[in-house]
């Protein structure tokens, strides 16, 4: 009896004395997307080191691993509702972000998905924001590149039908490719597929000029491996989910020459001021994570950092930790100087205006010896 | 064998179903102009490999069920362990001599103890020789050689066999007299435990399994105007499987321990009364089943190029399904079920390309059909036969 | 010293007292029959002796050593083997395999010998085969030629009974517990098995305890007869005395009325 009184007293005291601003983090830290999730988390951590306080209070990060599952993401979201956080950063994938968004919108808690690109996510409500571009842009840009720049007349599209991101993105690509006059053939697979012999058989007589892969690396690695083993030597173009060390590490030389779109790295950011900020952040990142390999730093790290930065900025602008006020401040942000570029939420549904999409290419000698080459960047403002 | 069996309804039905299936297949092939002979060969190679892998895993399920009427749900994780042992054997060697020494003592010691109890090696002279072989060999391999896939495969088989024996000793033996539900629950718990231990020890990330290029080099040969593509692994898997099955068959039919295993599977209590050391037989069953699962795990990883701690889930469930389809408890049934499942997965998707995303479902559709129409499995005994 | 001695055995299952204060001695070379109405506890007694059940109270001695508490395979190693009322052969193994398996526990050479096929190993294999054939020879040539390699499930009921007895002998036992050895046999086969059981003792040197219902068999070969009813021993002696004992008659007649 006395013990529990003591504990209760401590708790009450604690909640007063150590006033903190709590920010929840809902990320895929284990499971198929673990690499991207951890990269994003590192970005948040560095940003947190740079800006550890707001409104005179310490910012506390509450980390929840959704284990790359919808159920895990919902559980994390519920937990944050109970703990009374101001906002939640994450998830990285649309499949995990959408169910979490529904929970958080209902409870009136801010959510900033660091890398969900499916348009649906921010349409769930006005408390839901994102840091990335949307897939209608990504799909259109990729299709234009494949059909016009690469000159492909027939494109085979591989999509993961049980993932919102992959499915939606493939749809946007397909639509644009067809509009540009190319013939397409879509092949489906599900999560954890390792055997693509069926799908590869199906496209053999189609004789595609190029292949578009809209899935993740967990399936992408065996896919590319079998593709090359089965004698397909076409150019393969992927999307931002391929911006993951698990791809080249998983399949080695099969990824050599693989082109993909992704979050912009410092070099590809057109605005010179933004580029400077990104470079500075990159330097800070490698200062904090001394043993990091070059491949550990990419646009996801920047996105994570900016999600944190922009939320903290909104809290500062609102001048209070009242969630509704912060949300309003966030929704009115214009030209916030982020490390991933200029961020404007005003007048949008939560998707920043004018994001840069980078084009990259893998140069792979072996699974332990690979690099990513930056080709060029395009702004979403340029896309019709 | 007997006239009554041939005429039994379920056999007739299976025959009819089989003929119907073949007819449908023929009709379908006729309507697919681009389905060339090369395609058939291509699919055959893939199906044979996939089916062999399923067969190897299914044998472990069926053997354990035959002996102690338990579905070892953790068998998929044994499969996963096999892959990881080989992975570490190939990526961590040659080791620093201190680490090699430590590993040799720990692993070698465990292996030695387990082997002694499995094969009745009380004799001090024999034990000493074996210890020399195990410790010396292990240390040499770990410290001085960069292990290739064959060595890694053999080492992994041994280590995983031992792991299977330990699993039985820790999780199942204490529950020997308990009701079956308790054993079942423990098996499921063991499965979860090993999955999570795997995530903890090996890291949750999906890792690439990059074996020798000799196995992964794309090759091809021509059939008419078409080309058939394959890699070395598509030859290796059926070959290794055939060898393992041959050895297993020899062991089970010709050796004393093999006979004791078959006797125990039929009536464990009486076998014990006839002097059979039933504990030893059960441990041996787990040992053999785990060896086969490890071989399957290593070859699976080479074929598909990746490993992760949850990789045993799907193959495990499918192989278990294959064992039931073939007739749980029957060794030839497990092989038949595994091969059948592999062929169905590859060929049905070949004939109906729109189903390619759903190919995992076929196993379970087949399972439902079998349970409805021939629950003892394709090769299993007619359940109505009297003793 | 008697070969087998049961002292004040008690065994209950839940509320049912299956064996109640049963004491019995069996001398080496004797043939003792246990009779009694169905449910009297005869098979339970066999299960107690072979270690399948542990007695609640009382002791079992074999060759002067206490054996209650040993596991069944340990009891077998001591030299006791049994056959079963309902036959429990390894049905999918061959006749020969059924008679080889009980011999394994007495072997010396291990797997190394098997893999290398050492002369010692091969000699043992040959010896086991000889032993198997020797035990099967009690039943004449019928199980020794082509039937040797047939799976048990194709055999006739009588042949299965014979195989099971040969299997019990192959364990190297001194004491055989035969549970209704003539069940399911016609009068001709019964007469034959009666002679064979006597030969087990005369030529094979076995001590035999058997449970039987066929009184002619019991009468012909038993040195002693023990009667159980409701788990208690109610009579013991030579066949003639026991069969005319009023308590025994009442046990059978009284039971039949229920």
């Amino acid at each position: 009896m006395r013990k529990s009184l003591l504990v209760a007293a401590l708790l009450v005291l604690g909640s007063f004395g150590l006033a903190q601003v709590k920010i929840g983090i809902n990320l895929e830290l284990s499971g198929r997307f673990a690499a991207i999730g951890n990269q994003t988390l590192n970005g948040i951590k560095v940003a947190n080191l740079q800006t550890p306080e707001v409104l005179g209070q310490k910012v506390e990060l509450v980390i929840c691993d959704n284990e790359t599952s919808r159920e895990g993401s919902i559980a994390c979201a519920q937990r944050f509702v109970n703990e009374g956080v101001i906002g939640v950063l994450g998830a990285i994938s649309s499949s995990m972000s959408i169910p979490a968004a529904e929970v958080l919108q209902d409870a009136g808690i801010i959510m900033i998905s660091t890398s969900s690109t499916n348009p649906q996510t921010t349409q769930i409500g006005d408390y839901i924001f994102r840091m990335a571009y949307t897939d209608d842009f990504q799909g259109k840009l990729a299709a234009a590149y494949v059909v016009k720049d690469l000159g492909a007349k027939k494109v085979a599209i591989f999509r993961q039908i049980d993932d919102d991101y992959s499915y939606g993105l493939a749809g946007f690509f397909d639509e644009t490719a067809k509009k540009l006059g190319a013939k397409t053939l879509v092949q489906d697979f599900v999560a954890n597929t390792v055997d693509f012999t069926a799908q590869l058989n199906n496209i053999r007589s189609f004789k595609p000029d190029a292949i578009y892969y809209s899935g993740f690396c967990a399936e992408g690695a065996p896919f590319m491996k079998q593709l090359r083993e089965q004698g397909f030597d076409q150019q393969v173009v992927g999307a931002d989910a391929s911006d993951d060390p698990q791809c080249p590490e998983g399949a080695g030389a099969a990824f050599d020459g693989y082109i993909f779109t992704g979050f912009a790295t410092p070099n590809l950011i057109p605005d010179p001021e933004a580029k400077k900020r990104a470079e500075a952040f990159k330097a800070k990142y490698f200062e904090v994570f001394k043993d990091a390999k070059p491949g550990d730093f990419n646009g996801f790290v920047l996105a994570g950092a900016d999600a944190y930065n922009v939320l903290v900025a909104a809290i500062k602008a609102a001048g209070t930790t009242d969630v509704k006020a912060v949300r309003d401040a966030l929704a009115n942000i214009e030209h916030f100087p982020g490390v991933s570029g200029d961020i404007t939420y005003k007048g949008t549904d939560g998707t920043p205006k004018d994001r840069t999409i980078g084009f990259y290419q893998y140069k792979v000698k072996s699974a332990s010896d690979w690099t990513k080459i930056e080709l060029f960047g395009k702004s979403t403002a340029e896309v019709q | 064998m007997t006239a009554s069996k041939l005429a039994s309804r379920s056999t007739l039905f299976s025959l009819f179903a089989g003929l119907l299936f073949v007819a449908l297949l023929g009709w379908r092939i006729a309507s697919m102009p681009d389905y060339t002979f090369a395609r058939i060969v291509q699919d055959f190679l893939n199906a044979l490999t996939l089916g062999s892998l399923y067969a190897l895993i299914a044998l472990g399920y069926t053997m354990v069920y035959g002996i102690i009427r338990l579905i070892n749900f953790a068998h998929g994780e044994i499969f996963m362990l096999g892959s990881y042992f080989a992975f570490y054997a190939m990526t961590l060697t040659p080791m620093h001599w201190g680490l090699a020494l430590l590993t040799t003592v720990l692993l070698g010691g465990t292996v030695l103890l387990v082997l002694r109890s499995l094969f009745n090696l009380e004799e001090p002279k024999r034990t000493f020789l074996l210890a020399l072989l195990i410790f010396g060999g292990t240390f040499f391999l770990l410290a001085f050689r960069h292990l290739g896939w064959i060595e890694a495969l053999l080492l992994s088989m041994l280590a995983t066999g031992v792991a299977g024996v330990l699993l039985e000793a820790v999780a199942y033996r204490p529950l020997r007299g308990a009701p079956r539900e308790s054993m079942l629950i423990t098996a499921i718990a063991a499965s979860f435990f090993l999955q999570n231990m795997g995530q903890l020890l090996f890291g949750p990330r999906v890792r690439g399994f990059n074996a020798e290029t000799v196995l992964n080099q794309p090759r091809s040969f021509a059939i008419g105007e078409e080309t058939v593509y394959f890699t070395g692994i598509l030859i290796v898997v059926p070959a290794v499987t055939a060898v393992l099955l041959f050895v297993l068959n020899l062991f089970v039919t010709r050796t004393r321990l093999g006979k004791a295993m078959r006797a125990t599977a039929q009536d464990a209590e009486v076998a014990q009364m006839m002097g059979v050391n039933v504990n030893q037989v059960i441990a041996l069953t787990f040992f053999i089943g785990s060896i086969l699962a490890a071989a399957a795990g290593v070859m699976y990883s080479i074929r598909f190029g990746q490993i992760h701690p949850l990789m045993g889930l799907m193959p495990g469930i499918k192989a278990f399904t294959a064992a039931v389809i073939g007739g749980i408890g029957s060794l030839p049934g497990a092989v038949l079920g595994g091969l059948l499942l592999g062929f169905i997965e590859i060929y049905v998707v070949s004939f109906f390309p729109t189903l390619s995303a759903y190919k995992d479902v076929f196993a379970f559709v087949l399972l439902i059909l079998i349970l409805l129409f021939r629950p003892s499995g394709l090769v299993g005994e007619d359940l109505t036969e009297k003793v | 010293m008697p070969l087998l001695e049961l002292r004040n055995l008690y065994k209950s299952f839940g509320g049912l007292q299956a064996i109640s204060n049963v004491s019995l001695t069996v001398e080496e070379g004797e043939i003792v029959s246990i009779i009694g109405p169905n449910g009297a506890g005869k098979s339970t007694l066999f299960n107690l002796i072979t270690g399948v059940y542990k007695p609640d109270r009382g002791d079992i001695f074999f060759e002067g050593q206490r054996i209650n508490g040993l596991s069944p395979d340990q009891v077998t190693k001591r030299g006791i083997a049994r056959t079963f009322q309902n036959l429990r052969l390894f049905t999918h193994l061959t006749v020969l395999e059924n008679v080889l398996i009980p011999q394994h526990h007495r072997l010396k050479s291990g797997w190394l010998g098997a893999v290398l096929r050492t002369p010692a190993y091969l000699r043992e294999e040959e010896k086991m085969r000889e032993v198997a054939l020797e035990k099967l020879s009690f039943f004449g040539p019928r199980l020794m030629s082509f039937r040797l390699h047939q799976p048990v499930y194709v055999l006739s009921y009588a042949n299965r009974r014979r195989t099971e007895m040969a299997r019990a002998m192959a364990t190297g036992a001194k004491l055989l517990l035969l549970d209704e050895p003539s069940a399911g046999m016609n009068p001709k086969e019964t007469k034959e098995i009666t002679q064979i059981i006597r030969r087990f003792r005369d030529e094979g040197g076995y001590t035999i305890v058997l449970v039987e219902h066929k009184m002619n068999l019991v009468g012909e070969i038993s040195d002693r007869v023990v009667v159980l009813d409701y788990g208690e021993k109610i009579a013991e002696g030579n066949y003639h005395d026991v069969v005319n004992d009023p308590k025994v008659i009442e046990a059978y007649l009284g039971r039949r009325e229920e």
Side-chain angles (χ1 to χ4, degrees):
Chain A
M1 180 59 180
R2 253 178 253 142
K3 225 200 229 175
S4 50
L5 266 178
L6 187 61
V7 171
L10 278 176
L11 279 175
V12 170
L13 278 176
S15 64
F16 278 128
L18 310 158
Q20 290 178 332
V21 170
K22 279 207 240 178
I23 294 182
I25 298 179
N26 170 20
L27 288 176
E28 291 81 327
L29 299 173
S30 64
R32 288 161 51 241
F33 307 159
I36 299 179
N38 280 290
Q39 284 167 327
T40 308
L41 181 63
N42 287 345
I44 297 175
K45 282 187 180 159
V46 173
N48 178 238
L49 276 174
Q50 289 180 321
T51 318
E53 288 185 0
V54 69
L55 299 183
Q57 294 172 38
K58 194 164 170 312
V59 175
E60 183 196 345
L61 300 175
V62 186
I63 301 177
C64 184
D65 176 9
N66 64 38
E67 296 175 356
T68 314
S69 75
R70 286 187 181 82
E71 300 74 32
S73 187
I74 293 175
C76 284
Q78 303 275 19
R79 175 183 154 189
F80 291 137
V81 170
N82 295 337
E83 286 193 31
V85 303
I86 291 186
V88 178
L89 307 178
I92 59 156
S93 62
S94 305
S95 280
M96 314 313 149
S97 298
I98 291 173
E102 281 163 1
V103 172
L104 294 171
Q105 174 66 29
D106 252 358
I109 294 188
I110 298 169
M111 171 171 142
I112 306 179
S113 166
T114 53
S115 51
S116 166
T117 49
N118 187 309
Q120 282 177 48
T121 311
T122 43
Q123 286 162 15
I124 288 176
D126 53 355
Y127 274 78
I128 313 300
F129 299 80
R130 73 171 91 227
M131 193 44 62
Y133 45 78
T134 45
D135 282 333
D136 43 352
F137 291 116
Q138 186 172 206
K140 283 188 192 147
L141 269 177
Y145 178 76
V146 169
V147 178
K148 293 208 290 224
D149 296 14
L150 293 181
K153 297 196 184 51
K154 290 192 280 184
V155 187
I157 303 172
F158 281 78
R159 68 178 179 190
Q160 184 187 335
I161 52 170
D162 58 349
D163 182 83
D164 296 297
Y165 153 79
S166 179
Y167 189 84
L169 176 58
F172 289 121
F173 181 95
D174 191 25
E175 199 186 314
T176 308
K178 284 205 174 83
K179 258 200 224 139
L180 294 173
K183 279 222 232 103
T184 63
L185 178 64
V186 178
Q187 288 298 305
D188 296 332
F189 61 92
V190 294
N192 293 312
T193 301
V194 283
D195 188 355
F196 289 89
T197 47
Q199 290 87 343
L200 292 176
N201 272 336
N202 291 337
I203 66 169
R204 211 179 276 283
S205 46
F206 179 64
K207 293 199 190 9
D209 301 314
I211 296 173
Y212 186 65
Y213 177 75
S214 74
F216 291 82
C217 286
E219 294 76 31
F223 167 69
M224 285 305 293
K225 195 160 170 293
Q226 285 163 39
L227 186 74
R228 298 307 184 208
E229 280 173 7
Q230 296 274 312
F232 291 88
D233 51 10
Q234 293 87 342
Q235 175 66 48
V236 181
V237 174
D240 49 18
S242 301
D243 191 3
D244 176 353
Q246 279 181 191
C247 268
E249 281 172 14
F255 271 96
D256 190 36
Y258 183 95
I259 294 177
F260 59 98
T261 52
F263 285 35
T265 41
N267 274 334
L268 297 182
I269 297 174
D271 175 25
E273 289 302 310
K275 191 194 285 238
K276 267 198 230 142
R277 292 194 297 268
E279 296 281 4
F281 184 84
K282 183 173 176 182
K284 179 80 181 167
Y285 175 91
F286 282 103
E287 206 186 290
V288 173
F289 296 103
K290 293 189 186 58
D291 298 322
K293 298 195 283 263
D296 292 339
F297 183 88
N298 58 15
F300 291 120
V301 177
L302 292 172
D306 266 347
Y308 177 88
N309 289 333
V310 90
L311 181 59
V312 164
I315 297 173
K316 189 148 160 232
T320 161
T321 54
D322 172 53
V323 184
K324 181 148 190 340
V326 175
R327 187 227 81 87
D328 292 338
L330 187 58
N332 278 309
I333 279 193
E334 270 188 284
H335 299 300
F336 174 79
V339 296
S340 62
D342 217 57
I343 301 175
T344 298
Y345 282 126
K346 186 160 184 169
T348 72
D349 70 343
T351 305
K353 279 198 189 142
D354 303 338
R355 297 259 78 187
T356 309
I357 300 182
F359 275 70
Y360 303 90
Q361 186 172 41
Y362 278 123
K363 281 266 172 275
V364 183
K365 288 213 198 83
S366 76
S368 44
D369 185 7
W370 58 272
T371 47
K372 213 169 54 174
I373 299 182
E374 296 158 330
L375 297 175
F376 55 87
K378 274 201 159 48
S379 168
T380 52
E382 295 172 38
V383 180
Q384 278 79 19
Chain B
M1 233 138 312
T2 59
S4 58
K5 232 184 172 177
L6 273 177
S8 79
R9 273 179 66 211
S10 57
T11 319
L12 270 178
F13 197 91
S14 320
L15 227 59
F16 175 71
L19 282 170
L20 189 66
F21 182 70
V22 171
L24 280 173
L25 224 58
W27 170 76
R28 177 65 187 169
I29 294 182
S31 67
M32 283 170 45
D34 58 348
Y35 197 74
T36 60
F37 183 66
R39 268 285 287 272
I40 298 183
V41 173
Q42 179 90 65
D43 286 343
F44 182 84
L45 286 176
N46 287 322
L48 190 62
T49 292
L50 191 62
S52 301
L53 292 173
Y54 285 150
L56 287 175
I57 308 173
L59 278 169
Y61 280 108
T62 228
M63 286 173 77
V64 166
Y65 183 83
I67 286 267
I68 52 176
R69 305 289 182 271
L70 166 74
I71 305 293
N72 180 13
F73 284 114
H75 194 55
E77 277 60 58
I78 299 286
F79 162 87
M80 177 265 292
L81 279 180
S83 292
Y84 270 96
F85 281 137
F87 175 76
Y88 284 120
M90 292 201 294
T91 52
L92 292 182
T93 56
M95 281 181 182
H96 177 258
W97 68 267
L99 185 61
L101 195 63
L102 185 67
T103 314
T104 302
V105 168
L106 284 177
L107 282 184
T110 317
V111 169
L112 183 66
L113 285 173
V114 168
L115 284 184
R116 271 194 65 210
S117 70
L118 273 184
F119 294 109
N120 288 332
L121 299 168
E122 277 88 45
E123 237 198 312
K125 197 171 56 167
R126 288 226 188 94
T127 313
F128 180 70
L129 276 172
L130 191 65
L132 209 63
L133 186 68
I134 289 182
F135 283 112
T138 311
F139 183 73
F140 171 76
L141 286 174
L142 290 181
F144 297 113
R145 270 193 64 79
H146 175 70
L147 296 176
W149 72 270
I150 300 184
E151 292 151 312
L153 174 70
L154 292 172
L155 278 181
S156 168
M157 282 164 72
L158 183 62
T160 312
V162 167
V165 172
L166 291 176
L167 172 71
E168 192 269 328
V170 166
Y172 303 136
R173 187 175 298 195
L175 289 164
R176 203 63 81 65
R180 291 236 238 131
E181 298 78 40
S182 306
M183 287 261 256
L184 218 63
I185 295 174
T186 304
I188 298 177
S191 173
F192 279 130
F193 176 78
L194 288 173
Q195 283 173 29
N196 284 289
M197 274 303 276
Q199 288 192 314
L200 221 72
L201 289 176
F202 309 136
R205 270 172 70 159
V206 174
R207 313 262 281 264
F209 191 104
N210 298 305
E212 241 88 313
T213 43
V214 67
L215 284 178
N216 285 323
Q217 224 163 41
R219 299 165 205 267
S220 61
F221 61 90
I223 290 189
E225 292 166 357
E226 305 278 324
T227 336
V228 174
Y229 297 94
F230 68 100
T231 54
I233 193 71
L234 291 182
I235 311 291
V236 164
V237 170
V240 169
T241 306
V243 168
L244 288 174
L245 291 181
F246 180 71
V247 172
L248 178 69
N249 187 53
L250 271 184
F251 179 82
V252 162
T253 50
R254 299 276 196 86
T255 67
R256 294 176 201 158
L257 274 176
K259 292 201 178 94
M261 278 174 69
R262 286 156 63 212
T264 310
Q266 286 173 43
D267 195 330
E269 205 178 34
V270 167
Q272 200 180 24
M273 286 195 249
M274 292 302 131
V276 171
N277 182 348
V278 164
N279 279 341
Q280 182 193 14
V281 165
I282 293 177
L284 189 64
T285 308
F286 274 84
F287 184 70
I288 296 175
S290 303
I291 284 184
L292 298 174
V298 177
M299 295 195 289
Y300 183 95
S301 299
I302 295 177
R303 163 89 173 102
F304 296 116
Q306 51 175 219
I307 56 172
H308 63 99
L310 303 180
M311 67 184 280
L313 256 175
M314 240 333 171
I317 292 186
K318 286 203 200 151
F320 162 63
T321 306
V324 172
I325 289 172
I328 191 89
S330 155
L331 297 191
V335 175
L336 181 68
L339 286 173
L340 186 66
L341 196 60
F343 273 80
I344 286 182
E345 258 190 45
I346 297 286
Y347 276 100
V348 173
V349 172
S350 230
F351 297 140
F352 301 100
T354 44
L355 295 180
S356 50
Y358 302 104
K359 66 175 155 63
D360 290 343
V361 178
F362 301 154
F364 308 118
V365 168
L366 201 62
L367 177 67
I368 292 174
L369 289 175
I370 286 281
L371 288 177
L372 278 177
F373 297 114
R374 197 177 164 88
S376 55
L378 292 172
V379 173
E381 306 140 38
D382 206 346
L383 289 175
T384 60
E385 184 188 331
K386 291 198 299 265
V387 169
Chain C
M1 181 187 56
L3 187 67
L4 177 73
E5 186 180 348
L6 311 176
R7 266 194 224 156
N8 308 105
L9 281 184
Y10 287 83
K11 180 67 183 174
S12 69
F13 297 105
L16 176 69
Q17 192 70 32
I19 295 286
S20 183
N21 201 12
V22 169
S23 298
L24 175 66
T25 57
V26 179
E27 301 291 335
E28 191 161 349
E30 276 196 290
I31 298 182
V32 176
S33 293
I34 302 183
I35 65 174
N38 277 327
K42 310 191 286 292
S43 288
T44 310
L45 204 61
F46 274 10
N47 281 333
L48 284 167
I49 298 173
T50 54
V52 175
Y53 300 148
K54 312 268 174 282
D56 301 331
R57 264 192 290 163
D59 290 307
I60 305 172
F61 294 90
F62 182 72
E63 295 187 313
Q65 313 242 318
R66 179 181 293 122
I67 62 168
N68 42 303
L70 293 182
S71 66
D73 57 315
Q74 289 169 316
V75 172
T76 305
K77 282 192 168 65
R78 294 293 178 100
I80 304 178
R82 71 169 287 184
T83 64
F84 298 85
Q85 197 170 3
N86 290 324
L87 275 185
R88 287 175 74 176
L89 284 165
F90 302 125
T91 37
H92 290 265
L93 300 186
T94 64
V95 170
L96 180 61
E97 284 169 340
N98 268 273
V99 189
L100 284 177
I101 286 173
Q103 302 184 48
H104 291 347
H105 69 100
R106 285 180 295 148
L107 296 179
K108 292 279 186 308
S109 65
W111 66 279
L112 202 59
V115 167
L116 299 177
R117 302 192 80 71
T118 57
Y121 175 83
L122 292 171
R123 253 180 284 138
E124 270 188 345
E125 292 284 302
E126 187 52 41
K127 182 128 178 305
M128 283 207 294
R129 210 191 138 88
E130 279 169 30
V131 168
L133 288 173
E134 184 214 320
K135 305 307 176 195
L136 289 168
S137 70
F138 274 101
F139 306 100
R142 52 164 66 91
L143 288 173
M144 290 176 60
S145 56
F146 68 97
R147 291 220 185 280
L148 209 55
H149 299 290
Q150 285 190 326
V152 160
Y153 61 78
V154 308
L155 294 181
S156 67
Y157 194 69
N159 271 336
R160 291 193 206 185
R161 285 228 165 264
R162 294 171 186 132
T163 306
E164 206 184 47
M165 282 188 256
R167 183 178 69 170
M169 289 191 278
T171 61
K174 282 177 146 160
L175 173 65
L176 295 180
L177 308 175
L178 306 178
D179 202 342
E180 301 199 33
S182 75
M185 289 186 180
N186 61 41
K188 182 160 158 304
E189 290 163 339
T190 306
K191 204 160 157 44
E192 188 194 346
I193 205 70
T194 313
Q195 305 309 325
I196 292 177
I197 294 176
R198 187 184 292 126
R199 283 175 52 214
F200 287 167
R201 188 265 305 274
D202 297 341
E203 292 168 36
Y206 292 99
T207 307
I208 298 169
V209 177
L210 51 107
V211 165
E212 250 307 339
H213 284 302
K214 295 191 178 134
M215 291 306 158
N216 46 345
L217 201 176
V218 172
E220 247 206 73
I221 57 166
S222 313
D223 299 329
R224 246 190 314 142
V225 177
V226 172
V227 188
L228 289 186
D229 187 28
Y230 284 115
E232 290 181 5
K233 185 167 78 170
I234 61 170
E236 182 176 358
N238 70 47
Y239 175 72
H240 190 261
D241 293 341
V242 159
V243 149
N244 291 312
D245 185 323
K247 276 193 288 188
V248 173
I249 298 173
E250 188 195 330
Y252 274 98
L253 283 179
R255 192 62 67 83
R256 249 182 272 139
E257 265 176 359
E258 277 162 353

